Amino acid sequence: MQSKQTPHFTAGLRRPDWSVCSNVRQLATVVGDGSPSMEGKKAADAERAIRALVEELVVPSNKDAFDIAVCRFDGGRADQLVPIKRASEALADMKSLKLCSGRGGTNIACGLEEAERIVNDRRKSEIREVDPCVLVFSDGQHNTGPRPEPVAERLKGNKVTIVTIAYGGDADEDLLRRLASSPQHSFRCKDGKELRAFLATVGATLSASIPRGIDPKQALSEIEQ
């Protein structure tokens, strides 16, 4: 199969006027690969990329309308690194974020299951919000545990937008494309610089779409690549 071309990310999106969409929130959940292959620079770059996303979501013009959760997965389990918080409160947690668990294997299914728990817990509240999004990145192959496709299908059936990122050259792009909400929601980032640019663009895209009445799912699929 032909590999997806390296994405080119749009930037400089116009900041929205949140007065047209008051009291509406959105939850973004980051699901990151924490297996040993991520150790070192790759993990450090990914941690900075997650921070770049949060920094976009906390700009003053957004009026603190975004919430964030961060979890990691390896071969055995998933851990919540940041439980659901307002993005402004979660920003401080980004300084101590530790993506690598030190445990071996890659089980994308358990990462998606953790995201599903986060989304379901949020849905128990009475918060007025647009449909949540889940951002999944992995640098490797799913090699242990149940298949992740059924979990992804449950999330999509529950009106969750799944964006997947193949991080580096060894990621299973075919699988990540199947897990995404559509092929247009699947991206490839060859290194940390591209991942930072991409997650920052996701933040800017979410910021720009909701108050204008644009479907965030559609907007995320239209990030230039």
Side-chain angles (χ1 to χ4, degrees), residues 4 12 15 40 58 65 81 94 134 146 162 167 189 191 215 219:
K4 194 170 192 175
R15 295 293 178 194
V58 301
L81 302 181
M94 298 299 106
V134 170
I162 302 179
Y167 183 27
C189 295
D191 54 29
D215 180 4

Side-chain angles (χ1 to χ4, degrees), residues 8-192:
H8 300 285
F9 305 120
T10 56
L13 296 178
R14 182 182 173 187
R15 295 293 178 194
D17 176 6
W18 275 96
S19 62
V20 302
C21 196
S22 60
N23 300 320
V24 176
R25 307 191 62 75
Q26 184 173 32
L27 170 65
T29 301
V30 179
V31 181
D33 191 334
S35 60
S37 62
M38 287 285 295
E39 285 181 345
K41 185 177 186 300
K42 192 179 284 188
D45 285 343
E47 290 157 10
R48 285 191 286 269
I50 297 169
R51 182 181 178 87
L53 166 69
V54 178
E55 287 173 343
E56 283 291 335
L57 298 181
V58 301
V59 294
S61 58
N62 284 352
K63 297 186 177 180
D64 211 12
F66 288 96
D67 298 309
I68 189 84
V70 181
C71 61
R72 70 182 178 196
F73 63 89
D74 50 48
R77 69 170 191 258
D79 305 301
Q80 282 194 37
L81 302 181
V82 180
I84 297 174
K85 292 184 179 182
R86 288 181 181 265
S88 59
E89 297 173 354
L91 190 58
D93 296 330
M94 298 299 106
K95 296 178 181 179
S96 58
L97 198 66
K98 185 179 179 182
L99 191 61
C100 279
S101 69
R103 300 184 297 263
T106 301
N107 184 345
I108 299 175
C110 71
L112 290 174
E113 287 170 349
E114 189 64 30
E116 186 176 37
R117 280 189 285 272
I118 290 169
V119 168
N120 289 341
D121 285 346
R122 173 55 167 259
R123 289 241 166 102
K124 295 175 184 177
S125 69
E126 296 183 357
I127 297 173
R128 180 176 172 237
E129 62 182 338
V130 298
D131 293 335
C133 66
V134 170
L135 312 170
V136 185
F137 65 86
S138 177
D139 73 330
Q141 312 280 321
H142 175 85
N143 55 28
T144 186
R147 296 298 302 172
E149 290 92 340
V151 191
E153 290 306 312
R154 289 201 304 268
L155 282 165
K156 288 182 272 190
N158 201 20
K159 298 183 178 180
V160 176
T161 300
I162 302 179
V163 174
T164 61
I165 307 105
Y167 183 27
D170 296 327
D172 189 341
E173 293 187 52
D174 288 343
L175 172 61
L176 291 168
R177 191 174 295 111
R178 293 197 301 274
L179 299 180
S181 287
S182 76
Q184 289 70 43
H185 289 90
S186 180
F187 300 86
R188 180 172 67 85
C189 295
K190 66 181 181 182
D191 54 29

